[in-house]
């Protein structure tokens, strides 16, 4: 059984952090409907959705992925790079504490979960505007006893590592090569986003199904052409807050 931890869209979403996209009006009701459709999709794909209540004083709290990273052995509680997001981790830590022993990133380390790509025993961490070297070193120390190898990857031009690269299968990645160096990913087969869809590299792999934004049909075709089953979700409204499909859940595998 898989649990998907999600969080209701905050009333304050319009005050979200923005780094690479211009602020435009967000339709809160539509964002909520789209988020509910996303939760239904996860449920259809076998997840028990555990929805945390909204935090109306935390605009970005729907993006639970940034608050933690879940491994089979432990859950890492992040220390988000944006000061305004640090309060988000408490409720997420409380929820995860029932499933995993917790480890916490401490100052001066910063880490956003969106910068952490786990591929088997290899863990790639984006050195971004949100995640610093000390945060990455702390993760390396926490994971060493469990046999994971941690590699830092420079991220430039997008918010998080997983804005630029996500996992399609154990040996295959979906990537936008313009935002990250590809050398660290030499062992993987790469599916490139369509050049007209630069934000299309964020896909959520659930079992062997790819949950993917409806807004990127050209890249979706490329993924399907490799034989993957893709299930779309409407993700346009939360994309205005610079969020994608991985950001809106934390998947806890092997839970009852
Ligand atoms: C932020 O800037 O932190 C939010 N507005 C968006 C976070 C998206 N999270 C993610 O890609 N993991």
């Amino acid at each position: 059984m898989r649990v998907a931890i999600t969080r209701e869209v905050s009333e304050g979403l319009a005050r979200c952090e923005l780094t690479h996209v211009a602020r435009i009006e967000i339709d809160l009701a539509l964002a909520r409907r789209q988020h509910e459709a996303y939760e239904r999709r996860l449920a259809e794909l076998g997840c028990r959705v555990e929805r945390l209540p909204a935090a109306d004083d935390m605009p970005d709290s729907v993006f639970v992925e940034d608050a933690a990273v879940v491994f089979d052995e432990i859950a890492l509680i992040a220390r988000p790079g944006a000061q305004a997001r640090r309060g988000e981790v408490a409720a997420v830590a409380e929820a995860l504490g029932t499933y995993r022993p917790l480890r916490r990133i401490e100052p001066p380390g910063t880490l956003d979960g969106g910068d952490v790509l786990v591929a088997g025993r290899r863990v790639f961490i984006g050195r971004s505007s949100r995640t610093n070297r000390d945060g990455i070193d702390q993760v390396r120390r926490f994971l060493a006893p469990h046999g994971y190898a941690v590699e830092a990857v420079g991220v430039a031009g997008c918010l998080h590592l997983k804005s630029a690269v996500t996992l399609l299968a154990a040996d295959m990645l979906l990537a936008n090569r313009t935002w990250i160096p590809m050398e660290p990913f030499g062992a993987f087969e790469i599916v490139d986003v369509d050049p007209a869809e630069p934000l299309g590299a964020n896909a959520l792999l659930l079992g062997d199904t790819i949950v993917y934004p409806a807004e990127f049909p050209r890249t979706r075709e490329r993924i399907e052409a490799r034989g993957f089953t893709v299930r779309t979700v409407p993700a346009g409204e939360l994309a205005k807050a610079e969020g994608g499909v991985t950001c809106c859940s934390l998947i806890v595998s092997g839970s009852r």
Side-chain angles (χ1 to χ4, degrees), residues 1-4 70-72 99-100 205-207 250-256:
M1 178 68 185
R2 277 190 196 99
V3 170
V70 182
F71 296 87
D72 289 346
Y99 301 109
R100 298 285 190 274
L205 174 62
L206 215 48
L250 280 163
I251 306 295
V252 187
S253 298
S255 311
R256 286 175 187 281

PDB file of all heavy atoms in Angstrom, residues 1-4 70-72 99-100 205-207 250-256:
ATOM      1  N   MET A   1       0.858  -1.212   0.000  1.00  0.00           N
ATOM      2  CA  MET A   1       0.000   0.000   0.000  1.00  0.00           C
ATOM      3  C   MET A   1       0.881   1.245   0.000  1.00  0.00           C
ATOM      4  O   MET A   1       1.917   1.283   0.627  1.00  0.00           O
ATOM      5  CB  MET A   1      -0.878  -0.025   1.257  1.00  0.00           C
ATOM      6  CG  MET A   1      -1.793   1.189   1.427  1.00  0.00           C
ATOM      7  SD  MET A   1      -3.113   1.254   0.189  1.00  0.00           S
ATOM      8  CE  MET A   1      -3.891   2.796   0.552  1.00  0.00           C
ATOM      9  N   ARG A   2       0.415   2.248  -0.736  1.00  0.00           N
ATOM     10  CA  ARG A   2       1.122   3.533  -0.726  1.00  0.00           C
ATOM     11  C   ARG A   2       0.245   4.592  -0.088  1.00  0.00           C
ATOM     12  O   ARG A   2      -0.942   4.648  -0.372  1.00  0.00           O
ATOM     13  CB  ARG A   2       1.337   4.028  -2.158  1.00  0.00           C
ATOM     14  CG  ARG A   2       2.510   3.455  -2.823  1.00  0.00           C
ATOM     15  CD  ARG A   2       2.787   4.188  -4.127  1.00  0.00           C
ATOM     16  NE  ARG A   2       3.667   3.323  -4.857  1.00  0.00           N
ATOM     17  CZ  ARG A   2       3.264   2.508  -5.817  1.00  0.00           C
ATOM     18  NH1 ARG A   2       2.019   2.507  -6.214  1.00  0.00           N
ATOM     19  NH2 ARG A   2       4.118   1.703  -6.391  1.00  0.00           N
ATOM     20  N   VAL A   3       0.875   5.447   0.695  1.00  0.00           N
ATOM     21  CA  VAL A   3       0.171   6.612   1.215  1.00  0.00           C
ATOM     22  C   VAL A   3       0.680   7.828   0.450  1.00  0.00           C
ATOM     23  O   VAL A   3       1.880   7.940   0.183  1.00  0.00           O
ATOM     24  CB  VAL A   3       0.440   6.777   2.730  1.00  0.00           C
ATOM     25  CG1 VAL A   3      -0.083   8.108   3.238  1.00  0.00           C
ATOM     26  CG2 VAL A   3      -0.190   5.624   3.501  1.00  0.00           C
ATOM     27  N   ALA A   4      -0.229   8.711   0.065  1.00  0.00           N
ATOM     28  CA  ALA A   4       0.175   9.991  -0.534  1.00  0.00           C
ATOM     29  C   ALA A   4      -0.222  11.086   0.447  1.00  0.00           C
ATOM     30  O   ALA A   4      -1.405  11.267   0.727  1.00  0.00           O
ATOM     31  CB  ALA A   4      -0.524  10.203  -1.874  1.00  0.00           C
ATOM     32  N   VAL A  70      11.156  11.216   1.516  1.00  0.00           N
ATOM     33  CA  VAL A  70      10.864   9.927   2.144  1.00  0.00           C
ATOM     34  C   VAL A  70      11.708   8.830   1.499  1.00  0.00           C
ATOM     35  O   VAL A  70      11.682   8.648   0.276  1.00  0.00           O
ATOM     36  CB  VAL A  70       9.365   9.584   1.996  1.00  0.00           C
ATOM     37  CG1 VAL A  70       9.057   8.265   2.708  1.00  0.00           C
ATOM     38  CG2 VAL A  70       8.493  10.712   2.555  1.00  0.00           C
ATOM     39  N   PHE A  71      12.439   8.117   2.315  1.00  0.00           N
ATOM     40  CA  PHE A  71      13.196   6.936   1.878  1.00  0.00           C
ATOM     41  C   PHE A  71      12.543   5.711   2.531  1.00  0.00           C
ATOM     42  O   PHE A  71      11.697   5.851   3.410  1.00  0.00           O
ATOM     43  CB  PHE A  71      14.664   7.055   2.314  1.00  0.00           C
ATOM     44  CG  PHE A  71      15.369   8.202   1.659  1.00  0.00           C
ATOM     45  CD1 PHE A  71      15.318   9.481   2.216  1.00  0.00           C
ATOM     46  CD2 PHE A  71      16.060   8.025   0.470  1.00  0.00           C
ATOM     47  CE1 PHE A  71      15.946  10.553   1.593  1.00  0.00           C
ATOM     48  CE2 PHE A  71      16.687   9.088  -0.150  1.00  0.00           C
ATOM     49  CZ  PHE A  71      16.633  10.356   0.403  1.00  0.00           C
ATOM     50  N   ASP A  72      12.962   4.510   2.120  1.00  0.00           N
ATOM     51  CA  ASP A  72      12.385   3.315   2.755  1.00  0.00           C
ATOM     52  C   ASP A  72      12.742   3.276   4.240  1.00  0.00           C
ATOM     53  O   ASP A  72      11.970   2.799   5.061  1.00  0.00           O
ATOM     54  CB  ASP A  72      12.919   2.034   2.089  1.00  0.00           C
ATOM     55  CG  ASP A  72      12.340   1.852   0.695  1.00  0.00           C
ATOM     56  OD1 ASP A  72      11.351   2.552   0.363  1.00  0.00           O
ATOM     57  OD2 ASP A  72      12.886   1.031  -0.066  1.00  0.00           O
ATOM     58  N   TYR A  99       5.194   6.981  10.089  1.00  0.00           N
ATOM     59  CA  TYR A  99       5.637   5.999   9.091  1.00  0.00           C
ATOM     60  C   TYR A  99       7.134   5.715   9.096  1.00  0.00           C
ATOM     61  O   TYR A  99       7.575   4.652   8.671  1.00  0.00           O
ATOM     62  CB  TYR A  99       5.259   6.473   7.678  1.00  0.00           C
ATOM     63  CG  TYR A  99       3.784   6.675   7.492  1.00  0.00           C
ATOM     64  CD1 TYR A  99       3.256   7.950   7.360  1.00  0.00           C
ATOM     65  CD2 TYR A  99       2.923   5.585   7.471  1.00  0.00           C
ATOM     66  CE1 TYR A  99       1.891   8.137   7.189  1.00  0.00           C
ATOM     67  CE2 TYR A  99       1.554   5.759   7.310  1.00  0.00           C
ATOM     68  CZ  TYR A  99       1.045   7.045   7.170  1.00  0.00           C
ATOM     69  OH  TYR A  99      -0.302   7.219   7.009  1.00  0.00           O
ATOM     70  N   ARG A 100       7.925   6.707   9.482  1.00  0.00           N
ATOM     71  CA  ARG A 100       9.374   6.573   9.366  1.00  0.00           C
ATOM     72  C   ARG A 100      10.063   7.249  10.546  1.00  0.00           C
ATOM     73  O   ARG A 100       9.557   8.267  11.048  1.00  0.00           O
ATOM     74  CB  ARG A 100       9.899   7.294   8.100  1.00  0.00           C
ATOM     75  CG  ARG A 100       9.405   6.788   6.759  1.00  0.00           C
ATOM     76  CD  ARG A 100      10.080   5.475   6.376  1.00  0.00           C
ATOM     77  NE  ARG A 100       9.784   5.098   5.002  1.00  0.00           N
ATOM     78  CZ  ARG A 100       8.713   4.414   4.603  1.00  0.00           C
ATOM     79  NH1 ARG A 100       7.799   4.032   5.488  1.00  0.00           N
ATOM     80  NH2 ARG A 100       8.535   4.097   3.327  1.00  0.00           N
ATOM     81  N   LEU A 205       6.268   9.519 -11.022  1.00  0.00           N
ATOM     82  CA  LEU A 205       6.227   8.081 -11.282  1.00  0.00           C
ATOM     83  C   LEU A 205       5.569   7.371 -10.098  1.00  0.00           C
ATOM     84  O   LEU A 205       6.046   7.471  -8.965  1.00  0.00           O
ATOM     85  CB  LEU A 205       7.655   7.561 -11.481  1.00  0.00           C
ATOM     86  CG  LEU A 205       7.837   6.053 -11.637  1.00  0.00           C
ATOM     87  CD1 LEU A 205       7.118   5.530 -12.873  1.00  0.00           C
ATOM     88  CD2 LEU A 205       9.323   5.705 -11.703  1.00  0.00           C
ATOM     89  N   LEU A 206       4.478   6.678 -10.379  1.00  0.00           N
ATOM     90  CA  LEU A 206       3.744   5.979  -9.323  1.00  0.00           C
ATOM     91  C   LEU A 206       3.588   4.536  -9.755  1.00  0.00           C
ATOM     92  O   LEU A 206       2.822   4.257 -10.686  1.00  0.00           O
ATOM     93  CB  LEU A 206       2.383   6.650  -9.180  1.00  0.00           C
ATOM     94  CG  LEU A 206       1.739   6.764  -7.812  1.00  0.00           C
ATOM     95  CD1 LEU A 206       2.694   7.282  -6.759  1.00  0.00           C
ATOM     96  CD2 LEU A 206       0.518   7.657  -7.907  1.00  0.00           C
ATOM     97  N   GLY A 207       4.310   3.623  -9.138  1.00  0.00           N
ATOM     98  CA  GLY A 207       4.336   2.245  -9.633  1.00  0.00           C
ATOM     99  C   GLY A 207       4.975   2.273 -11.008  1.00  0.00           C
ATOM    100  O   GLY A 207       6.105   2.723 -11.159  1.00  0.00           O
ATOM    101  N   LEU A 250       3.749  13.684  -1.073  1.00  0.00           N
ATOM    102  CA  LEU A 250       4.890  12.904  -0.573  1.00  0.00           C
ATOM    103  C   LEU A 250       4.410  11.473  -0.556  1.00  0.00           C
ATOM    104  O   LEU A 250       3.403  11.148   0.089  1.00  0.00           O
ATOM    105  CB  LEU A 250       5.251  13.346   0.855  1.00  0.00           C
ATOM    106  CG  LEU A 250       6.068  14.622   0.950  1.00  0.00           C
ATOM    107  CD1 LEU A 250       6.013  15.185   2.365  1.00  0.00           C
ATOM    108  CD2 LEU A 250       7.519  14.374   0.529  1.00  0.00           C
ATOM    109  N   ILE A 251       5.062  10.611  -1.314  1.00  0.00           N
ATOM    110  CA  ILE A 251       4.603   9.235  -1.434  1.00  0.00           C
ATOM    111  C   ILE A 251       5.376   8.361  -0.422  1.00  0.00           C
ATOM    112  O   ILE A 251       6.612   8.360  -0.400  1.00  0.00           O
ATOM    113  CB  ILE A 251       4.833   8.700  -2.872  1.00  0.00           C
ATOM    114  CG1 ILE A 251       4.191   9.648  -3.910  1.00  0.00           C
ATOM    115  CG2 ILE A 251       4.323   7.269  -2.999  1.00  0.00           C
ATOM    116  CD1 ILE A 251       2.685   9.753  -3.853  1.00  0.00           C
ATOM    117  N   VAL A 252       4.615   7.668   0.396  1.00  0.00           N
ATOM    118  CA  VAL A 252       5.213   6.785   1.404  1.00  0.00           C
ATOM    119  C   VAL A 252       4.873   5.366   0.984  1.00  0.00           C
ATOM    120  O   VAL A 252       3.711   4.945   1.045  1.00  0.00           O
ATOM    121  CB  VAL A 252       4.650   7.066   2.810  1.00  0.00           C
ATOM    122  CG1 VAL A 252       5.408   6.254   3.852  1.00  0.00           C
ATOM    123  CG2 VAL A 252       4.707   8.562   3.134  1.00  0.00           C
ATOM    124  N   SER A 253       5.868   4.637   0.513  1.00  0.00           N
ATOM    125  CA  SER A 253       5.611   3.287   0.010  1.00  0.00           C
ATOM    126  C   SER A 253       5.636   2.271   1.146  1.00  0.00           C
ATOM    127  O   SER A 253       6.273   2.488   2.174  1.00  0.00           O
ATOM    128  CB  SER A 253       6.677   2.897  -1.012  1.00  0.00           C
ATOM    129  OG  SER A 253       6.605   3.782  -2.089  1.00  0.00           O
ATOM    130  N   GLY A 254       4.915   1.185   0.933  1.00  0.00           N
ATOM    131  CA  GLY A 254       4.946   0.089   1.882  1.00  0.00           C
ATOM    132  C   GLY A 254       4.211   0.388   3.174  1.00  0.00           C
ATOM    133  O   GLY A 254       4.482  -0.218   4.201  1.00  0.00           O
ATOM    134  N   SER A 255       3.258   1.331   3.140  1.00  0.00           N
ATOM    135  CA  SER A 255       2.525   1.674   4.359  1.00  0.00           C
ATOM    136  C   SER A 255       1.199   0.942   4.404  1.00  0.00           C
ATOM    137  O   SER A 255       0.677   0.531   3.385  1.00  0.00           O
ATOM    138  CB  SER A 255       2.238   3.184   4.385  1.00  0.00           C
ATOM    139  OG  SER A 255       3.409   3.883   4.116  1.00  0.00           O
ATOM    140  N   ARG A 256       0.651   0.812   5.605  1.00  0.00           N
ATOM    141  CA  ARG A 256      -0.671   0.183   5.732  1.00  0.00           C
ATOM    142  C   ARG A 256      -1.733   1.236   5.929  1.00  0.00           C
ATOM    143  O   ARG A 256      -1.450   2.295   6.417  1.00  0.00           O
ATOM    144  CB  ARG A 256      -0.661  -0.753   6.949  1.00  0.00           C
ATOM    145  CG  ARG A 256       0.103  -1.977   6.634  1.00  0.00           C
ATOM    146  CD  ARG A 256       0.227  -2.869   7.856  1.00  0.00           C
ATOM    147  NE  ARG A 256       1.117  -3.953   7.521  1.00  0.00           N
ATOM    148  CZ  ARG A 256       0.767  -5.026   6.819  1.00  0.00           C
ATOM    149  NH1 ARG A 256      -0.447  -5.149   6.365  1.00  0.00           N
ATOM    150  NH2 ARG A 256       1.645  -5.967   6.546  1.00  0.00           N
TER     151      ARG A 256
END
